[in-house]
Amino acid sequence: MFGALFEGLKFAFKKVTKLSIPYFSLEENDLRFKITSDYSFKYPISNIETKTRHDAYVLDAYTLKTKEIYIEYIHTYSDATWNGQAFGHFLSLLKENIGAKRFELIDNYEFSHYQFQTYFVDGSYYLNVVYLYEMNKDIFVIDKKYSLFQALLKNFKKDYKFSFEEKFNLDLDFNFSLVKKNSINNYFRVTSS
């Protein structure tokens, strides 16, 4: 009887522990993305430049960039909420930052906590964007090429292949942040009680 009770508690503990694993984490020189409760996709990165971001509504935030990838990670306080759609705010700020006149969505996939989108910018180059969301956490990933985008998306859509011309703009230098611009654009507010 005690053995069955112990096994039941052990099973419940494992389930709760697996559910609490974050969908995104940065460990050493690896990005980790939770795909299932048992599997996390690991993507190696190097030559990382990070900047910590601060705001009254934010518990933890930073931007990270490499030659091909730009990430903004935002963990808000539990009593803070977005004034609108977080991903929409990010895309607007991205378009403003690169001065895009045309930002054409050509591919869109959604799975669980992930949204994958490919844009054709000004009829010139492609930009891949991944949006992940967790409880009070929003993670925005821009892949200037498609290596992370394609590898991560293949965890959900095994037959995915980037089927467009390889037109990329690796010279883009992202240095924007929703957290940094919050004082001007009011992206966050305190939740009403």
Side-chain angles (χ1 to χ4, degrees):
M1 176 161 152
F2 287 113
L5 179 62
F6 177 74
E7 288 301 314
L9 289 172
K10 191 167 121 181
F11 176 78
F13 178 74
K14 280 184 177 180
K15 286 293 183 190
V16 169
T17 303
K18 285 180 182 177
L19 290 174
S20 67
I21 297 170
Y23 281 88
F24 170 83
S25 63
L26 171 64
E27 299 171 12
E28 302 267 333
N29 288 332
D30 290 327
L31 300 175
R32 291 186 184 267
F33 300 89
K34 180 180 170 186
I35 305 302
T36 67
S37 59
D38 296 324
Y39 173 69
S40 288
F41 171 71
K42 185 168 77 169
Y43 187 82
I45 55 175
S46 59
N47 299 322
I48 306 165
E49 179 186 323
T50 59
K51 291 183 182 176
T52 303
R53 305 295 183 172
H54 302 282
D55 189 83
Y57 299 98
V58 172
L59 184 64
D60 183 27
Y62 60 85
T63 55
L64 175 151
K65 68 179 173 178
T66 68
K67 182 179 178 181
E68 293 182 6
I69 297 168
Y70 181 81
I71 296 173
E72 181 162 16
Y73 171 92
I74 303 171
H75 182 182
T76 58
Y77 284 105
S78 60
D79 64 346
T81 189
W82 287 87
N83 283 323
Q85 295 295 320
F87 194 35
H89 287 312
F90 182 79
L91 292 173
S92 292
L93 193 57
L94 169 61
K95 286 188 268 187
E96 178 185 314
N97 182 259
I98 62 176
K101 291 173 182 46
R102 283 194 2 241
F103 205 70
E104 181 185 352
L105 177 64
I106 58 166
D107 239 346
N108 184 32
Y109 299 97
E110 291 185 50
F111 304 94
S112 176
H113 291 259
Y114 293 83
Q115 188 166 358
F116 298 84
Q117 293 186 344
T118 299
Y119 290 90
F120 195 45
V121 181
D122 292 333
S124 178
Y125 60 91
Y126 294 98
L127 208 52
N128 296 297
V129 182
V130 181
Y131 171 53
L132 289 84
Y133 51 91
E134 300 179 34
M135 181 72 110
N136 298 329
K137 294 179 188 172
D138 295 274
I139 300 97
F140 309 95
V141 181
I142 301 170
D143 188 348
K144 292 189 242 179
K145 214 167 172 193
Y146 62 80
S147 54
L148 169 61
F149 182 88
Q150 181 170 265
L152 184 57
L153 182 50
K154 280 187 170 188
N155 285 280
F156 301 100
K157 186 173 173 47
K158 304 286 184 215
D159 63 342
Y160 177 79
K161 183 171 178 2
F162 190 79
S163 57
F164 309 102
E165 283 184 65
E166 291 193 22
K167 293 181 176 181
F168 303 108
N169 186 349
L170 297 177
D171 294 330
L172 291 171
D173 185 26
F174 300 116
N175 192 22
F176 67 94
S177 164
L178 291 165
V179 173
K180 183 178 174 182
K181 290 279 193 168
N182 183 52
S183 62
I184 297 167
N185 296 337
N186 294 324
Y187 295 122
F188 311 110
R189 65 180 165 83
V190 174
T191 308
S192 302
S193 320

